[in-house]
Amino acid sequence: MRPKLIAGNWKMNKLVSDALPWAEELTGELGTPRTGIELLLCVPATHLHPLRQELQDSGVRLGAQDLSSHDEGAYTGEISGAMLRDAGADFVLVGHSERRRYHGEDDALLNAKLRAAQRSWLTPILCIGEDEEERDAGRANAVVLAQLEGALDGLEINSARELVIAYEPVWSIGTGRTATPADAQNMCSVIRAWLDDRFPEVGNRLRILYGGSMNPMNAAELLAQPDIDGGLIGGASLDVTDLLAIYGAVQ
Ligand code: PEP
């Protein structure tokens, strides 16, 4: 009912000159895309246009890693949703923990960015997750639900294409420490219940991804959980073999 989504997050890695042969290798090894699973690469904005050309007809989707909350105007250095869409993006990450941490992005700004994504017909992937101290204090659920409340405040969601959630415990991102499948499923079911309640028409069709040190060894068990609809993958998405192994781990 919910198509799976395997999404790579390249962060600030690779030059276009590395990315193009990488994409050629990917499409060569991918073969015919499987039905019911989307493969997405969230790449630096400078890479969208050349990769769009390279990945034409491959079925691989492209996403950006951030967008401006504004549509156009005097915002030096910013990139609008329409520009990202024009360059080849269908998706955009919003509120990745690295943006919350290094760029001070708060709920109000993320809410504005989600609205900007909607105006540009981009599917936002809203990233949420507790840090280690919050988990140890038994506050993980409360923190994650507060992040959902804050970022989605007043937003209308009318179709499954309008929002994806990525649950990424901050302590597991880039650390090699993955949440157990049971803990990840538990949190994703809490998120699912909140989405069902908040968006009764569409909540159970919205996809929830798990992110945090997912790799070819741990992917199958995480992706088999009933409320985990895919993965957001950082480090392992830089390698064609690892990314395709994770894609292949989807049942
Ligand atoms: C991420 O960047 O969203 C992420 C999950 O990174 P990693 O897979 O490297 O932990």
Side-chain angles (χ1 to χ4, degrees):
M1 177 180 173
R2 294 186 296 264
K4 299 276 187 196
L5 177 60
I6 297 297
N9 173 17
W10 280 7
K11 313 193 188 206
M12 198 172 71
N13 289 296
K14 292 192 195 293
L15 299 177
V16 171
S17 54
D18 305 317
L20 293 177
W22 187 100
E24 198 181 340
E25 187 186 339
L26 178 79
T27 48
E29 291 186 20
L30 180 65
T32 311
R34 295 167 60 188
T35 47
I37 312 179
E38 282 182 296
L39 185 56
L40 164 69
L41 300 172
C42 295
V43 299
T46 47
H47 297 31
L48 286 168
H49 185 66
L51 278 174
R52 180 72 290 145
Q53 316 283 309
E54 182 66 40
L55 291 168
Q56 250 178 35
D57 306 324
S58 69
V60 179
R61 318 287 295 275
L62 287 173
Q65 299 174 6
D66 182 36
L67 82 166
S68 174
S69 58
H70 303 284
D71 291 340
E72 64 177 339
Y75 301 101
T76 302
E78 293 277 83
I79 304 179
S80 73
M83 291 171 182
L84 296 170
R85 187 144 196 85
D86 189 45
D90 294 318
F91 290 77
V92 62
L93 301 180
V94 174
H96 190 279
S97 71
E98 287 150 19
R99 295 219 53 93
R100 292 176 190 257
R101 181 166 171 205
Y102 303 130
H103 301 272
E105 296 198 352
D106 61 12
D107 288 340
L109 179 61
L110 300 182
N111 185 272
K113 288 189 174 196
L114 289 169
R115 290 171 189 271
Q118 284 191 330
R119 289 194 298 274
S120 316
W121 302 98
L122 290 168
T123 302
I125 302 178
L126 173 66
C127 304
I128 53 177
E130 81 286 356
D131 66 23
E132 186 154 34
E133 203 180 302
E134 291 160 343
R135 174 153 287 261
D136 290 347
R139 294 197 294 119
N141 289 12
V143 166
V144 161
L145 294 179
Q147 289 173 340
L148 284 170
E149 294 274 0
L152 295 171
D153 186 32
L155 241 83
E156 274 190 42
I157 303 290
N158 297 308
S159 86
R161 201 201 59 79
E162 289 178 46
L163 181 67
V164 174
I165 303 292
Y167 167 56
E168 300 205 294
V170 176
W171 48 269
S172 75
I173 298 178
T175 59
R177 290 173 54 208
T178 314
T180 65
D183 282 349
Q185 160 59 26
N186 202 21
M187 182 63 86
C188 291
S189 75
V190 168
I191 295 168
R192 170 89 52 221
W194 187 91
L195 291 172
D196 278 348
D197 186 54
R198 172 72 170 74
F199 305 110
E201 300 294 314
V202 78
N204 69 355
R205 284 188 283 124
L206 297 177
R207 289 178 288 183
I208 305 173
L209 314 182
Y210 166 80
S213 297
M214 190 182 275
N215 62 41
M217 308 292 288
N218 59 32
E221 216 185 329
L222 285 160
L223 295 169
Q225 303 303 314
D227 286 300
I228 298 182
D229 304 312
L232 181 55
I233 301 127
S237 75
L238 295 169
D239 184 274
V240 169
T241 309
D242 284 354
L243 183 62
L244 287 181
I246 294 171
Y247 176 76
V250 177
Q251 292 305 306

